[in-house]
Amino acid sequence: MLHDRLLIRPVEEKGERRSSAGLVIPDTVKMGTRLTWGEVCGAGTSARHVKSGDRVLFNPEEQLEVEIHGELYVIMRERDIHAMANEDPEYGTGLYL
């Protein structure tokens, strides 16, 4: 990857979801614009805060899709990432906004 570009593999959410009130929302329901989780597979040399293997939250509307070896990836700038998840937080929620 060049400059601050990231190669991200989107994590597909399959199956039913539950609302905070406990209602079941089937996977066929079209939700409004939702942010999507993905795993960074490659980062350019100018990417300062994100590295390969990180889980990031991004807007699916701001993406450029590319297919590599039959698998779908997303290319975007580091500044378009909304949050980064930490699997092993020392304090807080583990989300960096």
Side-chain angles (χ1 to χ4, degrees), residues 7 12 16 25 28 31 35 44-45 47-49 54 56 59-62 65 72 75 82 85-86 88 91 94-96:
L7 183 67
E12 296 292 327
E16 299 175 337
I25 303 170
T28 57
M31 299 288 286
L35 298 178
T45 56
R48 296 180 293 166
H49 303 289
D54 287 344
V56 293
N59 186 350
E61 302 294 323
E62 302 171 355
E65 295 179 350
L72 182 69
I75 296 176
H82 293 279
N86 183 359
D88 197 19
Y91 59 92
L95 274 179
Y96 296 98

Side-chain angles (χ1 to χ4, degrees), residues 24-83:
V24 175
I25 303 170
D27 58 347
T28 57
V29 173
K30 175 71 174 156
M31 299 288 286
T33 302
R34 294 182 59 169
L35 298 178
T36 304
W37 286 103
E39 179 185 351
V40 177
C41 297
T45 56
S46 298
R48 296 180 293 166
H49 303 289
V50 181
K51 62 185 182 305
S52 294
D54 287 344
R55 268 181 65 108
V56 293
L57 190 64
F58 64 94
N59 186 350
E61 302 294 323
E62 302 171 355
Q63 64 182 1
L64 298 172
E65 295 179 350
V66 63
E67 188 173 330
I68 302 172
H69 299 293
E71 196 166 341
L72 182 69
Y73 293 92
V74 174
I75 296 176
M76 59 186 355
R77 292 179 179 261
E78 182 182 24
R79 69 178 180 210
D80 294 332
I81 300 298
H82 293 279

